[in-house]
Amino acid sequence: MVSSRHADVQVGDASRLFDGRRLTLARQLIGLRKNALAAKIDKSPTAVAAYENNTKRPAPVTVAQLCLTLGVDPGFFLPGPHQLTASDPVPHFRSLRSTTQLARDQAFAYGVISGDVGAALERHVEFPEPNLPQLSVDVDDESSDLPEEAARLLREHWEISSGPVGHLVRLAEHHGIVVVFSPVQTAAVDAYSFNDGYRPTVVLNPTKEDYYRQRFDVAHEIGHLVMHVDAEPGSKVVENQAHRFAAELLLPENELRDLLPSKADWRSLAALKEAYGVSLQALLYRSRALGVMSDVTYRNAVAYLSSKGWRRREPGEMPAVEQPSLYPKAVEILQSVGMNELSLAKESRVTPGIFRTVTARHPVREDLFLDPQKTDAPDGAIPLFRSVVDHPGK
């Protein structure tokens, strides 16, 4: 219970300055619908909706109930370090059909919270300004070469020299894109991206340990950020546009057309795989897309991949996945001048567990976020917060 005088003051302040959008985030992070939250705090769904749309302020005792139920400190409900724009962004998930709305809400809320962490860190360190060109591509456009044009535009804008693209995550961060790993509990949601008015953000799947596929994921999500700012996510056309963008970004036609074999020359393909940092499957797909390899040859090559088990694990040593460094380096710098993780987490208004996950170079594998008050998760959503309300000093 919130029993100390200091905690009571916090609850009172949170009641007076309550921001309903923060309640929405906390509810989504723990994987609850409005009616489920209403039942837990003994309020009506209408009341919860009123709290979230800021037409009604919860009383201090209700704020305390919300804290206990959602596993956050009272300060979480004050306006966050950065504010969403008037029209909330829609994240680009790979497949809307295979991802529940609850899971998408949970993943997006985590992305927004990662922006809160970044905004707090930027009070003390300077990050690169976002530097991302825009070339809007119609969501029904299946025939033009605009996705490839968008990739060429980005290469020119970022002054990427000819040849293989180097460390793609570091390159994106250098141009002001936030790249973070999601919690392992949300691994059912693949990589996704959005631009919420703070910074363009790419959230990577923490369980994907394939260097080559992760690089393609990052290129794919950058494609969404360049082409699909206002587009509805999830359609096959939109996803195919992002795939084509990624292929042109990592494997430019003017460089690869003369290098790709017309037959399944595995030695040549393996050499290109190592040089350009893409999978054999991506090279085969690119060869067919550019008309270098016939459809029949492509299908036979893919069948051979499958027969060898290479579609799951391609031959050769697997490099470690590319790691984010923007947030982790900022934390290291601040710790070197005496700002510890706990104080930075408090300033970000998140739990230490969430802070560690957002700012990690490596995916956090530990089960850090289970709420001890919650024994089951509705519809596959995973609770992310451990309750810290009973222990405001932790």
Side-chain angles (χ1 to χ4, degrees):
M1 295 180 64
V2 184
S3 56
S4 72
R5 184 174 183 275
H6 177 64
D8 287 339
V9 172
Q10 286 185 322
V11 167
D13 289 343
S15 174
R16 284 184 287 272
L17 302 176
F18 194 86
D19 184 347
R21 291 171 295 184
R22 303 288 294 175
L23 173 57
T24 302
L25 285 177
R27 173 177 61 77
Q28 291 174 337
L29 277 166
I30 206 168
L32 288 177
R33 292 190 174 88
K34 291 178 186 177
N35 59 352
L37 175 59
K40 286 179 175 292
I41 63 172
D42 197 26
K43 299 289 182 182
S44 69
T46 302
V48 171
Y51 300 151
E52 292 194 5
N53 63 30
N54 286 318
T55 59
K56 183 179 180 181
R57 284 192 299 110
V61 66
T62 303
V63 172
Q65 289 177 307
L66 289 170
C67 288
L68 290 168
T69 300
L70 299 173
V72 297
D73 283 327
F76 183 90
F77 296 117
L78 274 62
H82 87 280
Q83 299 296 315
L84 295 178
T85 55
S87 58
D88 289 351
V90 180
H92 285 278
F93 296 108
R94 294 297 173 84
S95 175
L96 298 185
R97 289 188 298 274
S98 62
T99 311
T100 67
Q101 184 63 54
L102 206 62
R104 295 198 300 269
D105 288 344
Q106 187 177 37
F108 178 52
Y110 174 79
V112 173
I113 291 299
S114 73
D116 285 346
V117 171
L121 293 175
E122 282 204 77
R123 294 176 180 142
H124 310 285
V125 296
E126 185 176 354
F127 291 159
E129 286 298 314
N131 177 31
L132 198 63
Q134 302 294 319
L135 179 59
S136 181
V137 179
D138 190 279
V139 296
D140 297 319
D141 184 349
E142 298 185 71
S143 58
S144 80
D145 64 351
L146 282 178
E148 290 78 12
E149 184 179 333
R152 291 190 288 270
L153 171 66
L154 183 71
R155 288 185 70 105
E156 180 180 355
H157 191 77
W158 283 0
E159 299 180 346
I160 300 174
S161 59
S162 60
V165 178
H167 196 299
L168 188 56
V169 167
R170 189 173 301 141
L171 180 64
E173 291 181 319
H174 178 74
H175 291 282
I177 298 174
V178 169
V179 182
V180 297
F181 287 109
S182 69
V184 71
Q185 291 94 332
T186 62
V189 177
D190 209 343
Y192 59 99
S193 57
F194 60 92
N195 194 338
D196 67 351
Y198 165 62
R199 283 180 178 274
T201 300
V202 173
V203 183
L204 297 177
N205 188 309
T207 63
K208 188 172 288 188
E209 298 178 340
D210 190 310
Y211 166 85
Y212 304 101
R213 288 181 172 84
Q214 187 218 51
R215 276 171 56 83
F216 202 89
D217 282 350
V218 174
H220 177 106
E221 298 306 327
I222 292 173
H224 283 313
L225 293 171
V226 171
M227 299 185 295
H228 300 137
V229 174
D230 299 317
E232 288 294 322
S235 75
K236 287 185 178 180
V237 176
V238 165
E239 289 303 300
N240 186 53
Q241 289 170 349
H243 275 306
R244 288 167 55 193
F245 175 99
E248 179 64 24
L249 179 64
L250 297 174
L251 302 167
E253 178 180 359
N254 64 346
E255 297 179 24
L256 268 293
R257 180 176 286 279
D258 294 335
L259 299 178
L260 288 166
S262 59
K263 304 297 183 183
D265 182 341
W266 297 108
R267 181 178 298 175
S268 297
L269 289 167
L272 289 172
K273 168 184 174 175
E274 293 304 313
Y276 281 85
V278 297
S279 67
L280 293 174
Q281 294 179 70
L283 286 164
L284 290 173
Y285 186 87
R286 188 65 168 151
S287 185
R288 183 185 66 166
L290 295 179
V292 175
M293 186 176 288
S294 70
D295 287 345
V296 172
T297 302
Y298 170 78
R299 288 195 296 271
N300 289 339
V302 171
Y304 183 81
L305 278 174
S306 298
S307 71
K308 293 293 183 181
W310 292 354
R311 296 194 73 173
R312 294 181 180 177
R313 179 78 179 192
E314 294 186 358
E317 293 298 320
M318 179 66 70
V321 296
E322 294 182 355
Q323 300 168 3
S325 60
L326 189 67
Y327 284 3
K329 185 63 176 178
V331 172
E332 290 169 9
I333 291 172
L334 295 176
Q335 287 179 329
S336 72
V337 295
M339 298 185 69
N340 61 34
E341 183 182 86
L342 179 59
S343 66
L344 291 171
K346 285 185 175 180
E347 189 172 339
S348 306
R349 302 214 193 98
V350 299
T351 63
I354 285 287
F355 184 85
R356 283 192 297 271
T357 303
V358 170
T359 61
R361 293 184 185 274
H362 308 275
V364 175
R365 304 286 184 192
E366 298 88 359
D367 196 7
L368 295 174
F369 314 112
L370 287 179
D371 176 1
Q373 300 186 54
K374 190 175 178 66
T375 57
D376 60 342
D379 295 324
I382 308 297
L384 294 178
F385 279 134
R386 167 186 291 125
S387 177
V388 296
V389 180
D390 289 334
H391 310 285
K394 288 190 177 181

